[in-house]
Amino acid sequence: MSDVILSVKDLTAEVDGNPILKGFNLEIKAGEIHAIMGPNGSGKSTFSKILAGHPAYTVTGGEIVFQGQNLLELEPDERAKSGVFLAFQYPLEIPGVSNVDFLRVSYNAKRKHEGLDELDAFDFDEVVQSKLTLLKMDPSFLNRSVNEGFSGGEKKRNEILQMALLEPRLGILDEIDSGLDIDALKVVASSVNALKKPENATLIITHYQRLLNYITPDVVHVMAKGRILKSGGKELALELEAKGYDWVLDSQAVGA
Amino acid sequence: MTIQSTLSDVGNLGLSTKVDRAAYLLGLLSLRSELPSELAGLQEIRDRAFSVVRDRAIPSTREEEWRFTDLSGLLQVQFQNSAPSEIGFPQIESFLLPESTNSRLVFVDGVYAPALSAVDDLPDGVLVGNLAAGVQLFPKLYEHLALHPGGEEIFTALNTASFTDGAIVRVSQNQAIASPIHLLFVSTQEALCHPRALVVAETGSSVTLVEEYVSLAEGAYFTNPVTEIWLGENAEVRHTRVQRDSVAAFHIGKTAVSQARDSRYDCTAVSLGGKLSRHHLEVYQTGEQTDTKLNGLTIVDGDRLGDTHSLIALSQPYGTANQVNKTIVSDRAHAVFNGKVFVPKAAQLTNAAQLSRNLLLSPKARVDTKPQLEITADNVKCAHGATVSQLEDDEVFYLQSRGIEADQARKLLTYAFAIEVIDRISVASLRHALTQLVRIQSA
């Protein structure tokens, strides 16, 4: 049996006093790809931000154990260095900081945490070039300011490049498919597939089934009103695409 | 009892009355030296400036132009005449620009230092020197010196009434000089000085100018510089002005620029030092299709104040003006920006944009920003805006989520905010030096 990477039990959380998560449970094992689907406002993105430690959300109950460690005790940067990576739905622009400098600072922060020597610009260039090749990205990406003036697709690919460099144990992709045309979606999905490793896990947060045509999940969860209502195999995503979310919500109401 | 003395606003007024402030100004004026005989042609202008200053007083915060910039601290400091320090290359080595090895003028406490300057091997038609010597080679300087609008402003007039030498840069018609011209003003002691510079870029010429104020002393000196720049038709001037005075110093400077038609003026002004610093930057477009770009960065900490007052006066059709002024304010420091843009009726089909961006890094930091557009033309594009913000939580979080500690993330974001301005400087060695300074200041 594979190692459990992430275990979430009875998690409740709020923002500005409004409850968003109401008893959330999830377990992810090494090598697995999970997808959380759900209608807008179900709490999917909130959950991803809580995993990464966004200060706007307050956890009011339950626990999150990441590789045997209480994740809620860690600062966001410590979570990242421990192997949690969140690809943002809306990556921020940082004019004035070149992408390559940003990537190197980030990469070296992780190396330092692991007790490794930091890489100088020259050695880092070798590492980043190999990732660019793997992801079929244009090296000109590196010299631009972080996300400034990037198209939607470029921003998402830049998130994946960061993920490729940091090699997280748990990669969380928050609506990585939103706003992408089909070609850009295929590129992003193939990059995610290229990064898959048996010891790592991926959590995909999405509103649309479309992405799951290109990244095959092991487990699909349906989330609504701050909880997971139903879990199943990849066929569940197709069922949702065909029937919408209502039948899950309705069957839950009947069962309750 | 006058209203003035019933107000118990001691912080604003100090203990000064108008009489005290007038007496203090006269005291400053009395420190001036005789005009050298070479510059005798300046006597009339000098006398006129003298009479302007003689009847006035150091402004109080009651005057609209000085509302946020309180000069009462200056009144506590007394200056005396003293001989300029004898300094050599070792003291100024760190300020020299390798790009300007043969195009550098150095002034020490306001006095020209020929031994530290280097103006050999300049191309024909390019004059770089001190005013007293330059007047022989370029008698037409009297057609430009002290003739900008705005010369009645109190500190500008004080400079005009007091300066006895200065820098002259003249690039003749269609000449382009590749090396940047470095005007380095070094302060070494607690003195008052009035640096003066005149730059004449004739029709079709092109020049890069670095004007820099640095300090070898930590004391409370007062630098009151005036730089005048004249651009002929289709001329191009790239100007970097760097104020790195002592953090105890007073710096009240003026840059006045006139642009003939089709000319292009690009200014990056960086203000890092000074207990109290103020930069008046005034650009007058006098012909069609002139282009003005102003970029400013002020970084203040402690209880220091940094002030930029700018004016861009468009006057003819097809002019463009683009201004971005940034401030970074920490501790109990105070930044001020007042930016006027005039677009009169004649200036049709012009395009003017102004942005004031301010980053407050502590709860007691303060900024007063006042973009001021006056538009009477009806077929123009004008935009302006002002933002005052702290670092966004979301930005800090984004960096943290990539393994960067919160404190380091804030520094990186502050640095990034500043570096956008620094990156515009075309002289590589200066850009690198300022990048290092900003890195240290945001650390």
Side-chain angles (χ1 to χ4, degrees):
Chain A
M1 193 173 135
S2 313
D3 295 340
V4 173
I5 285 192
L6 181 76
S7 165
V8 182
K9 289 196 183 121
D10 300 324
L11 190 69
T12 54
E14 58 180 42
V15 60
D16 298 330
N18 300 314
I20 308 276
L21 297 186
K22 302 164 186 170
F24 184 95
N25 292 284
L26 180 68
E27 187 174 278
I28 300 179
K29 293 185 182 130
E32 290 180 342
I33 295 180
H34 286 234
I36 298 181
M37 303 184 68
N40 288 328
S42 58
K44 315 185 291 288
S45 281
T46 298
F47 175 61
S48 71
K49 285 181 181 146
I50 285 171
L51 284 179
H54 195 291
Y57 302 93
T58 311
V59 172
T60 50
E63 63 170 28
I64 305 177
V65 177
F66 173 71
Q67 295 193 292
Q69 208 175 2
N70 178 1
L71 197 65
L72 295 171
E73 279 179 351
L74 303 180
E75 290 294 313
D77 57 290
E78 295 168 331
R79 299 183 193 196
K81 285 180 280 204
S82 308
V84 174
F85 179 91
L86 171 64
F88 279 49
Q89 182 178 3
Y90 304 109
L92 278 87
E93 299 188 5
I94 313 174
V97 175
S98 80
N99 214 12
V100 69
D101 287 346
F102 172 60
L103 293 170
R104 187 159 58 94
V105 169
S106 172
Y107 185 75
N108 277 333
K110 177 132 194 271
R111 279 185 70 93
K112 200 172 159 193
H113 181 76
E114 290 166 353
L116 299 168
D117 285 341
E118 298 183 28
L119 295 191
D120 63 23
F122 188 77
D123 288 337
F124 177 72
D125 189 60
E126 220 167 274
V127 175
V128 77
Q129 292 296 344
S130 72
K131 300 298 181 189
L132 287 171
T133 309
L134 176 71
L135 302 179
K136 299 188 181 70
M137 283 173 70
D138 189 338
S140 71
F141 249 67
L142 297 177
N143 297 320
R144 295 163 66 183
S145 284
V146 179
N147 294 328
E148 190 191 26
F150 283 29
S151 69
E154 285 175 330
K155 282 183 182 170
K156 298 293 171 89
R157 292 183 72 191
N158 205 26
E159 295 290 285
I160 302 298
L161 173 62
Q162 293 168 34
M163 188 166 97
L165 276 167
L166 297 176
E167 298 182 331
R169 293 302 301 278
L170 176 64
I172 307 153
L173 309 177
D174 186 8
E175 311 240 356
I176 197 80
D177 51 337
S178 66
L180 297 191
D181 64 36
I182 195 75
D183 291 331
L185 178 73
K186 282 183 189 169
V187 171
V188 166
S190 70
S191 300
V192 172
N193 288 328
L195 296 174
K196 190 179 172 184
K197 285 185 180 172
E199 65 271 28
N200 297 340
T202 307
L203 175 62
I204 296 167
I205 312 272
T206 182
H207 187 68
Y208 304 106
Q209 183 272 338
R210 190 180 65 158
L211 176 66
L212 304 181
N213 291 337
Y214 304 98
I215 305 174
T216 309
D218 299 296
V219 187
V220 174
H221 309 275
V222 183
M223 185 171 178
K225 295 174 185 167
R227 284 190 297 149
I228 286 178
L229 299 185
K230 193 175 179 65
S231 301
K234 63 184 180 206
E235 64 286 347
L236 178 57
L238 294 170
E239 209 172 343
L240 288 167
E241 181 76 356
K243 300 206 254 174
Y245 288 111
D246 287 348
W247 67 274
V248 182
L249 304 180
D250 292 346
S251 67
Q252 182 69 19
V254 171
Chain B
M1 189 180 269
T2 64
I3 292 172
Q4 193 167 324
S5 56
T6 55
L7 283 172
S8 58
D9 198 351
V10 176
N12 261 355
L13 286 173
L15 297 168
S16 67
T17 64
K18 189 160 187 186
V19 174
D20 292 337
R21 288 183 281 108
Y24 185 84
L25 183 59
L26 267 184
L28 296 183
L29 196 57
S30 71
L31 294 172
R32 67 187 191 146
S33 312
E34 288 294 310
L35 196 62
S37 56
E38 296 94 325
L39 291 173
L42 188 69
Q43 192 64 51
E44 197 185 318
I45 285 172
R46 193 179 213 240
D47 292 343
R48 207 180 313 138
F50 177 85
S51 57
V52 166
V53 178
R54 191 189 48 203
D55 299 331
R56 311 250 310 260
I58 296 285
S60 77
T61 51
R62 234 168 263 291
E63 291 172 45
E64 184 58 29
E65 285 298 300
W66 294 88
R67 205 170 127 206
F68 300 112
T69 300
D70 181 4
L71 293 172
S72 57
L74 176 64
L75 305 189
Q76 312 305 314
V77 186
Q78 298 300 322
F79 300 101
Q80 274 143 24
N81 277 327
S82 48
S85 303
E86 294 280 335
I87 61 166
F89 272 110
Q91 284 108 312
I92 63 163
E93 206 169 4
S94 65
F95 302 121
L96 302 182
L97 304 174
E99 294 90 341
S100 303
T101 314
N102 285 316
S103 52
R104 176 183 69 242
L105 293 177
V106 180
F107 292 78
V108 178
D109 299 321
V111 177
Y112 179 51
L116 302 175
S117 303
V119 286
D120 308 323
D121 303 325
L122 289 169
D124 286 344
V126 177
L127 167 67
V128 179
N130 64 315
L131 279 175
V135 69
Q136 314 292 330
L137 301 162
F138 183 51
K140 277 168 73 176
L141 72 80
Y142 289 122
E143 293 171 23
H144 298 97
L145 193 58
L147 294 181
H148 269 99
E152 310 267 293
E153 187 276 322
I154 194 85
F155 290 98
T156 310
L158 177 63
N159 178 296
T160 302
S162 306
F163 78 87
T164 51
D165 201 357
I168 166 100
V169 175
R170 177 246 186 166
V171 185
S172 58
Q173 192 167 344
N174 297 335
Q175 278 289 340
I177 171 162
S179 319
I181 292 164
H182 189 196
L183 307 180
L184 183 65
F185 298 93
V186 187
S187 286
T188 70
Q189 55 185 323
E190 300 201 356
L192 164 66
C193 69
H194 304 281
R196 187 86 185 195
L198 174 66
V199 178
V200 181
E202 294 184 351
T203 301
S205 66
S206 169
V207 63
T208 300
L209 182 73
V210 176
E211 174 190 358
E212 200 174 7
Y213 298 88
V214 300
S215 147
L216 298 175
E218 292 308 306
Y221 58 86
F222 179 14
T223 303
N224 180 44
V226 173
T227 294
E228 291 178 88
I229 301 176
W230 297 85
L231 289 89
E233 288 183 11
N234 208 20
E236 180 165 324
V237 174
R238 292 164 301 275
H239 181 197
T240 302
R241 184 189 199 273
V242 182
Q243 184 270 101
R244 296 167 60 182
D245 278 309
S246 136
V247 291
F250 295 87
H251 179 113
I252 300 177
K254 161 71 83 68
T255 304
V257 182
S258 285
Q259 291 188 254
R261 63 174 297 160
D262 302 321
S263 65
R264 299 168 299 284
Y265 175 69
D266 186 327
C267 178
T268 303
V270 179
S271 176
L272 303 175
K275 162 100 176 139
L276 181 152
S277 77
R278 165 127 152 176
H279 182 210
H280 292 264
L281 173 54
E282 299 181 354
V283 182
Y284 301 92
Q285 295 191 351
T286 62
E288 287 185 11
Q289 202 174 312
T290 50
D291 180 50
T292 307
K293 289 190 178 71
L294 307 181
N295 284 272
L297 172 68
T298 299
I299 302 180
V300 274
D301 57 10
D303 59 354
R304 304 190 295 122
L305 179 145
D307 178 349
T308 297
H309 265 61
S310 68
L311 162 70
I312 305 173
L314 286 79
S315 71
Q316 303 287 326
Y318 308 108
T320 50
N322 203 311
Q323 179 178 29
V324 179
N325 192 76
K326 290 189 170 187
T327 72
I328 300 175
V329 193
S330 49
D331 304 328
R332 283 153 289 118
H334 184 183
V336 179
F337 173 69
N338 182 302
K340 298 185 184 78
V341 179
F342 291 155
V343 187
K345 194 146 190 17
Q348 297 290 1
L349 300 163
T350 52
N351 191 340
Q354 181 191 66
L355 183 61
S356 160
R357 294 188 59 195
N358 306 281
L359 189 56
L360 297 179
L361 296 179
S362 98
K364 294 204 165 160
R366 170 174 169 176
V367 61
D368 289 285
T369 177
K370 188 177 174 192
Q372 210 178 324
L373 274 72
E374 290 183 21
I375 305 162
T376 41
D378 52 12
N379 188 6
V380 296
K381 273 189 204 163
C382 291
H384 73 107
T387 62
V388 178
S389 65
Q390 297 164 323
L391 291 170
E392 298 284 338
D393 280 350
D394 275 341
E395 290 174 346
V396 176
F397 174 64
Y398 185 56
L399 296 182
Q400 274 188 289
S401 77
R402 299 303 179 251
I404 300 167
E405 288 169 27
D407 191 43
Q408 200 192 347
R410 287 194 190 92
K411 284 173 188 163
L412 185 64
L413 290 166
T414 306
Y415 166 80
F417 182 83
I419 215 68
E420 266 196 302
V421 177
I422 306 291
D423 271 348
R424 299 183 48 87
I425 297 171
S426 61
V427 181
S429 66
L430 182 64
R431 189 174 62 241
H432 293 151
L434 290 174
T435 299
Q436 289 309 316
L437 279 178
V438 166
R439 212 184 277 280
I440 292 162
Q441 289 216 1
S442 53

